[in-house]
Amino acid sequence: MADDKEVLREIWEGRLPICFNISPDEITTVDQPEPCYLLVPRMSYFPLVTDKVFRHFQKASNQDDIDKMWLEYNGQPLKWHYPIGVLYDLHGENVLPWPVTLHFKKFPETEIMKCHGRDAVEAHFMSAVKEADSLKHRSVVINAMKRNDHKQLWMGLSNDRYDQFWSINKKLMERVNSEPFRCIPLRVHQRYKPMLMKFCKSVSEKGELNTLGNFFQTFLPYILDENDHLKYSKNWKVIIQGITPMLNTPLQWMSEHLSHPDNFLHIILIELIC
């Protein structure tokens, strides 16, 4: 991969201030508990950072089972298997600190999956990494790794250790035989709609690196200005890792530098109300 370590570290060190509160109708004590404020990594997952939140509200809710806990923002249940940064870019509406509500009752089974501990997060994460490598390298890289490499990758993420994680992840981001990735692992998110996966090659039939603009022209043309496909439509906002990238940015570079730890490039589409 291109040697641009400053970008990688800046992305990794992104943090979000979150204000957690428990739903008022689930408080079983006389006194209202204080909010719980945390500064959490954008690259992590809620089940990896909310042990402290559970302990903070445990007495007030009279709950002993953390697996019953679920989170929502503004009435929208938050999917624990999406990275925190993806959830904020999709739902957070630029509100900081982000007010997130904690629940134990009335689990919205039709909208989100239940999380059964850190092992479930690890299993989901490693499944995504393997899926991404199958798209990039036909699984050659991930299959050549040892079990200890897989565990170090996970421990680096779960413990928020950049060097530990990237000492392994760099293998997944390198070009095999100097060739760009076969396909770019990416996922497209919109509010209140199913996640989309599109199979986009990193190189066009002309042998040129495909750009973000090329991707939108092929799969989601309504994101672009109908009179000038080199510009974004005024009706849409595109967010990747908290920023709106230029349309001429190569997908290969974005995949190498702006992917989440699951090795997917998560593209957030926000429809603007005019």
Side-chain angles (χ1 to χ4, degrees):
M1 64 177 294
D3 188 12
D4 207 339
K5 294 182 179 179
E6 290 186 7
V7 174
L8 298 177
R9 187 173 286 276
E10 285 291 327
I11 293 294
W12 180 274
E13 292 181 352
R15 297 291 186 267
L16 281 172
I18 300 182
C19 173
F20 293 93
N21 273 296
I22 187 170
S23 179
D25 60 358
E26 298 188 31
I27 299 173
T28 59
T29 56
V30 175
D31 296 329
Q32 175 80 21
E34 294 291 324
C36 180
Y37 289 89
L38 290 182
L39 192 63
V40 304
R42 283 179 52 92
M43 305 291 262
S44 190
Y45 297 84
F46 271 125
L48 302 182
V49 301
T50 50
D51 285 355
K52 181 178 179 180
V53 180
F54 173 75
R55 293 193 300 270
H56 182 87
F57 293 110
Q58 187 173 11
K59 183 178 180 180
S61 62
N62 193 28
Q63 288 287 340
D64 294 322
D65 188 357
I66 193 173
D67 288 349
K68 292 183 178 179
M69 187 173 72
W70 59 280
L71 304 172
E72 59 98 354
Y73 167 70
N74 200 22
Q76 177 64 43
L78 300 176
K79 298 178 178 180
W80 64 263
H81 58 292
Y82 285 5
I84 296 173
V86 170
L87 291 171
Y88 176 75
D89 291 344
L90 183 59
H91 301 294
E93 303 173 312
N94 294 321
V95 177
L96 292 174
W98 190 21
V100 172
T101 303
L102 170 72
H103 295 271
F104 289 99
K105 300 178 181 179
K106 300 179 181 178
F107 190 90
E109 297 185 5
T110 60
E111 298 183 68
I112 59 175
M113 300 188 302
K114 287 186 176 180
C115 179
H116 299 288
R118 295 169 72 93
D119 288 347
V121 185
E122 180 180 3
H124 170 79
F125 168 72
M126 288 307 306
S127 176
V129 171
K130 292 174 182 178
E131 183 180 0
D133 195 58
S134 71
L135 294 171
K136 291 187 290 188
H137 305 120
R138 300 183 188 275
S139 300
V140 169
V141 178
I142 194 73
N143 289 340
M145 289 183 177
K146 299 179 180 179
R147 181 176 178 82
N148 286 344
D149 293 331
H150 295 183
K151 182 58 66 173
Q152 182 173 333
L153 194 70
W154 164 247
M155 294 303 294
L157 171 64
S158 59
N159 294 325
D160 191 26
R161 294 177 179 172
Y162 172 85
D163 291 331
Q164 183 180 21
F165 177 83
W166 270 101
S167 65
I168 302 300
N169 196 57
K170 66 180 181 181
K171 301 175 185 178
L172 295 164
M173 288 297 177
E174 290 174 346
R175 304 184 184 192
V176 176
N177 298 322
S178 300
E179 293 292 328
F181 300 156
R182 183 174 64 93
C183 288
I184 302 296
L186 54 82
R187 291 173 172 171
V188 181
H189 306 270
Q190 290 180 247
R191 293 173 185 166
Y192 318 121
K193 292 185 179 181
M195 180 268 294
L196 299 176
M197 281 190 62
K198 300 294 184 181
F199 297 99
C200 183
K201 294 184 179 297
S202 59
V203 179
S204 70
E205 294 181 356
K206 297 179 180 180
E208 300 173 344
L209 287 175
N210 276 322
T211 65
L212 182 61
N214 296 146
F215 170 73
F216 285 138
Q217 284 180 333
T218 302
F219 297 103
L220 302 166
Y222 55 86
I223 300 302
L224 304 176
D225 188 307
E226 61 182 18
N227 297 316
D228 186 351
H229 279 189
L230 298 179
K231 296 180 180 179
Y232 287 111
S233 166
K234 294 180 180 179
N235 299 324
W236 291 89
K237 183 176 183 180
V238 176
I239 308 172
I240 300 176
Q241 289 288 10
I243 63 174
T244 298
M246 296 176 64
L247 286 169
N248 62 358
T249 308
L251 288 172
Q252 175 73 32
W253 187 93
M254 295 176 68
S255 183
E256 292 173 346
H257 296 89
L258 300 183
S259 290
H260 277 268
D262 61 5
N263 277 234
F264 274 85
L265 191 65
H266 291 268
I267 302 175
I268 313 301
L269 306 182
I270 304 295
E271 188 170 11
L272 303 177
I273 300 176
C274 300

